[in-house]
Amino acid sequence: MIPQQEQPKQPREPYAITFGESMGLLIAPSAKGIEYAHGLELSFGGAETNVAIGLARLGIRAGWFGKLGNDPIGRSIITRVRGEGVDVSRAAQDGERPTGLMLREQISGRASVYYYRKLSAMSAMQPSELDEAYVAGASMLHVTGITPALSASCKETVFEAVRIARRNGVKVCFDPNLRLKLWSLEDARETLLALAEQADYFLPGMDELMLLYETEDAEQVMDRLRQLDAASVVKGSRTETLLLEKGQLTRIPCFPVERVTDAVGAGDGFCAGFIAGLLKGHSTAEAVRLGNLVGSLVVQAEGDWEGLPTWSQAESVLLDKRHVER
């Protein structure tokens, strides 16, 4: 019998996965406060599902998983995220705990969010529920600082997912997404800085860094970032994004925004654009530029994820193609 020659391994198709809590979202319309609204619009939101939808629209294979209640809101979230082209095959539904809920209002241009997520289905997630082969098969794992704030078991699950990724050569992208309504700054600082040390890409805002590093001196912040192995991308400025990679600082201009309609979701849009750029083979600086573009488009539309662009829409702006109205 002639032995068969071993077939060369095919390159892995770029594939990004993320996990965390997605919640039902009730929005007060027409810039009214919730207490004065006669009705609330139902949608859904969550940093990780926002990123996954953004990636799928940009042409990247994307997967999201988490735990939802086996209730109408949980079922609708799975249906709608799947409808955006995101793999939700590892998402679970809990028959005993509910899907989390958040209410949002925007008054005088300022958004306020109220969470109802204590004892939610996602808060009970355990490290044992991770599908190691699923995480190991990705090109990029994206995690945020929101999930470890939900419970001790969620915190353990995030660290275990990062360990699985690193053990299998999967790149780790980490957005701290500091939420002081969910935990104390002291608890957040310890956890988020530990995750930053394990990431390949660290995507904080300067305001978050000043809180985490306990300084208002931007130069001291940058010195602390230079101690990390990760490529650090400091986002959130209206004029530029800072990229610190291998000790070299690059300033990347933001795209002009005609009008900010809804600033919620801009950071998630940036993350989606940045990860998509990396997985499309762009340099880190080019990926930051794509992240800047996606973030600028998101803030010009209402909703957490509704304004995320498709790849053709993003590409037309990058290539400065003129729009033909009719």
Side-chain angles (χ1 to χ4, degrees), residues 296-308:
S296 74
L297 296 175
V298 169
V299 301
Q300 297 181 68
E302 291 186 359
D304 289 24
W305 52 270
E306 287 83 348
L308 290 162

Side-chain angles (χ1 to χ4, degrees), residues 82-276:
R82 182 192 295 120
E84 288 288 336
V86 175
D87 174 33
V88 293
S89 60
R90 299 321 189 267
Q93 290 185 274
D94 188 324
E96 298 181 0
R97 292 172 177 260
T99 303
L101 187 66
M102 59 179 167
L103 278 63
R104 193 170 52 144
E105 61 186 5
Q106 187 156 330
I107 304 173
S108 301
R110 297 185 62 181
S112 296
V113 178
Y114 307 91
Y115 296 116
Y116 298 87
R117 62 202 309 178
K118 187 176 182 180
L119 302 180
S120 68
M122 183 63 201
S123 71
M125 190 171 190
Q126 304 287 333
S128 60
E129 296 178 271
L130 290 169
D131 184 334
E132 180 164 351
Y134 188 67
V135 176
S139 306
M140 182 80 71
L141 170 69
H142 175 69
V143 295
T144 79
I146 298 173
T147 307
L150 300 180
S151 67
S153 65
C154 280
K155 175 181 172 180
E156 293 171 8
T157 302
V158 172
F159 277 95
E160 178 61 19
V162 171
R163 281 191 287 269
I164 292 171
R166 292 179 64 85
R167 191 162 63 236
N168 289 278
V170 178
K171 297 293 185 182
V172 176
C173 179
F174 172 53
D175 182 349
N177 248 320
L178 180 60
R179 296 288 188 269
L180 293 179
K181 286 189 175 182
L182 298 179
W183 54 356
S184 71
L185 179 57
E186 290 71 26
D187 289 341
R189 181 179 291 121
E190 179 183 1
T191 299
L192 301 186
L193 293 181
L195 285 169
E197 292 177 355
Q198 299 181 44
D200 296 284
Y201 302 99
F202 181 38
L203 277 57
M206 181 60 77
D207 56 341
E208 293 173 315
L209 290 172
M210 288 181 174
L211 290 171
L212 294 174
Y213 289 139
E214 300 181 83
T215 178
E216 295 185 0
D217 187 322
E219 284 303 316
Q220 290 184 20
V221 167
M222 300 309 289
D223 287 341
R224 292 290 298 272
L225 289 178
R226 288 186 177 92
Q227 298 174 28
L228 298 176
D229 292 331
S232 295
V233 180
V234 184
K235 52 188 173 62
S237 167
R238 288 175 177 257
T239 58
E240 64 182 10
T241 300
L242 305 179
L243 168 62
L244 186 60
E245 186 175 29
K246 298 179 180 177
Q248 182 173 346
L249 179 63
T250 305
R251 299 177 182 272
I252 301 168
C254 293
F255 285 78
V257 175
E258 293 182 8
R259 184 182 62 160
V260 176
T261 300
D262 186 349
V264 176
D268 301 331
F270 176 90
C271 292
F274 176 73
I275 295 170

